[in-house]
Amino acid sequence: MTSGLLCLLTLPFVLGRTPGDLEPLIPSTPSSPFPNSVLRSGFNNSFGPSLGSVSQSLSNFAGFEDDRGTCQCSVTLPDTAFPVQRVERLEVTAHVLSQKFEKELSKVREYVQLISVYEKKLSNLTIRVEIMEKDTISYTELDFELIKIEVKEMEKLITQLKGSVVGSTTVVNQLEVEIRNMTLLVEKLETLDKNNVLAIRREILALKTRLKECEASKGENVPAAPPPPAPGSCGHGGVANISKPSVVQLNWRGFSYKYGAWGRDYSPQHPEGGLYWVAPLNTDGRLLEYYRLHNTLDDLLLYTNARDQRLVYGQGAGIVVYNNYMYVNWYNTRNIAKINLNNNRAEVTQTLPDAAYNNRFSYANVDWQDIDLAVDENGLWVIYSTEASTGNMVISQLNDTTLVVLNTWYTRQYKPSVSNAFMVCGVLYATRTLNTREEEIFYYYDTNTGKEGRLGITLRKVQERIQSINYHPFEQKLFVYNDGYLLNYDLIFNREPK
């Protein structure tokens, strides 16, 4: 019985109980054997009620009584030692993993925010690229095509010169080589920055001058042609022809701004100077709100050193600049305003008597230009219509200081059938549309003599509609705003005054 008792006493000790806890269950004398029922049940029923929750741990053993009546038992206990160290390691590992998880989660949050920011940037960049594709303020393929045309024309001319020049052709051969180099340079420029067109334009101008000199001197017996009229002079017989357009650039606000005007300030006191101005109307084709000034043509071509100004508000594209003042039709009125370009202030506002306005008698295909201001060698003019003139064109000369009307002439030309007009030496020249690529200077009215008549001078254009035409007396050029593009034309005059 001793070994059996030892087995039973060891078991409670392991399970955290004292031997006294077993006294009610174990007989005190060796003569009291375990009942057979206990032995048959494998101690489950005997220990179960007394050990309570410990009975779950005593389910795996076997017991028996030997020949001498000694109780023998064999108990297999599970590993009940609590793995404290493993649990601690598990807790440390779980804590480290939790920290790593929080760190990675915070990174994910940052990435989500960054993705949101980059999505916005990408969206903005996409919009900017689309604007650049549509409204890019740079030289387009049109510029290079026009340059190529000019170079090809020079090639044809040099070929004709080679066949007609008598004697040495050294100069002609040299020009031919330079023109060939120019062709290669144009092709190279197309793959480079578009603004480098400025340098090529200068070289082309120099070559044109040399070609003209060479052509003029090719025949010894050909009498010298009379010189062109002096800049700012009216010693000629009026406009006889006009050059092909020279594309200066797209206006600074972009392709969407199809309406507007541009030109160069003319001052009789300083005719060779004068700043350049560009005034695109808002996209409604009516409001003049912003304009830009450049001191030189190079600044205008390179979009540098610009002075941006804002008006509230001009109306229509009948704008001119004279003696450092801008003259505009004031919004929603028949008034003319005189704007000082030094401080952008309207110094004088004057009503144009009886003038129709607000699209009553504007030009054909161009709205809000009922009142069209003009400048020539004789000063400041305004072209308009009245109800009394039944829509026919009226010409008035203005005092540029007070804007008071000095004199008025009435024509027989209906203004809404005219696409645009300009003044040269007191003569009104009117244009009309022939097709999407050609205009015609078809009508004139001479305020010096009161005579009017018909002309047939073709004016080529690069876009469909011409919004404004301004004349510069010293340069003897037309500054044309053609669906957002800034064009130049050289005027060719009759040599002898009429």
Side-chain angles (χ1 to χ4, degrees), residues 206-226:
L207 280 173
K208 279 185 173 181
T209 302
R210 294 178 63 184
L211 277 171
K212 288 179 180 179
E213 293 173 355
C214 186
E215 186 178 23
S217 61
K218 69 179 181 180
E220 296 180 357
N221 299 324
V222 177

Side-chain angles (χ1 to χ4, degrees), residues 287-311:
L287 284 182
L288 168 63
E289 186 174 3
Y290 298 98
Y291 65 93
R292 176 174 283 188
L293 306 175
H294 295 275
N295 289 328
T296 66
L297 181 61
D298 288 357
D299 287 345
L300 185 148
L301 290 172
L302 299 174
Y303 301 98
T304 58
N305 303 320
R307 284 187 289 152
D308 292 344
Q309 303 286 7
R310 182 174 183 262
L311 280 179

Side-chain angles (χ1 to χ4, degrees), residues 278-491:
V278 184
L281 303 183
N282 287 356
T283 52
D284 61 1
R286 180 180 185 180
L287 284 182
L288 168 63
E289 186 174 3
Y290 298 98
Y291 65 93
R292 176 174 283 188
L293 306 175
H294 295 275
N295 289 328
T296 66
L297 181 61
D298 288 357
D299 287 345
L300 185 148
L301 290 172
L302 299 174
Y303 301 98
T304 58
N305 303 320
R307 284 187 289 152
D308 292 344
Q309 303 286 7
R310 182 174 183 262
L311 280 179
V312 186
Y313 296 102
Q315 177 170 283
I319 312 158
V320 293
V321 173
Y322 182 65
N323 249 340
N324 205 45
Y325 286 90
M326 177 177 283
Y327 297 87
V328 302
N329 173 210
W330 219 229
Y331 176 74
N332 204 34
T333 69
R334 57 168 58 94
N335 297 341
I336 298 173
K338 177 183 178 181
I339 312 297
N340 189 332
L341 294 183
N342 292 326
N343 54 29
N344 195 39
R345 294 178 180 174
E347 294 192 352
V348 180
T349 303
Q350 185 66 255
T351 300
L352 184 61
D354 302 323
Y357 65 101
N358 279 0
N359 257 352
R360 175 62 175 139
F361 296 116
S362 187
Y363 289 128
N365 303 323
V366 182
D367 294 335
W368 311 109
Q369 207 166 336
D370 305 75
I371 297 174
D372 185 18
L373 292 142
V375 167
D376 72 355
E377 293 82 355
N378 298 335
L380 181 64
W381 303 82
V382 61
I383 304 163
Y384 60 106
S385 294
T386 66
E387 295 295 341
S389 73
T390 62
N392 289 344
M393 301 177 79
V394 179
I395 310 165
S396 290
Q397 189 170 17
L398 302 177
N399 182 307
D400 62 279
T401 303
T402 64
L403 300 182
V404 173
V405 174
L406 302 177
N407 207 344
T408 300
W409 294 264
Y410 296 90
T411 75
R412 290 183 292 179
Q413 178 60 48
Y414 187 55
K415 187 170 181 284
S417 68
V418 172
S419 60
N420 227 281
F422 59 95
M423 299 290 298
V424 177
C425 291
V427 180
L428 168 75
Y429 293 91
T431 64
R432 64 182 175 187
T433 301
L434 297 180
N435 52 58
T436 59
R437 285 293 177 266
E438 290 181 325
E439 299 274 315
E440 181 186 44
I441 303 175
F442 75 103
Y443 172 83
Y444 75 91
Y445 184 97
D446 190 345
T447 63
N448 302 297
T449 63
K451 293 182 179 179
E452 58 186 336
R454 298 290 173 179
L455 297 170
I457 302 172
T458 301
L459 183 150
R460 297 183 183 178
K461 52 189 177 181
V462 298
Q463 295 291 326
E464 184 173 349
R465 296 179 181 179
I466 285 179
Q467 281 73 29
S468 68
I469 303 176
N470 284 309
Y471 170 68
H472 192 273
F474 185 80
E475 293 191 32
Q476 296 177 335
K477 290 177 179 288
L478 295 183
F479 290 74
V480 176
Y481 197 98
N482 182 198
D483 276 344
Y485 285 91
L486 314 183
L487 311 183
N488 264 152
Y489 296 83
D490 292 317
L491 290 180

Side-chain angles (χ1 to χ4, degrees), residues 93-117:
T93 303
H95 181 68
V96 172
L97 288 175
S98 177
Q99 289 181 333
K100 289 184 178 180
F101 177 77
E102 289 296 332
K103 186 177 180 181
E104 295 299 325
L105 186 61
S106 65
K107 288 183 180 180
V108 170
R109 293 193 187 101
E110 292 177 2
Y111 292 154
V112 170
Q113 293 177 351
L114 287 175
I115 288 172
S116 177
V117 172

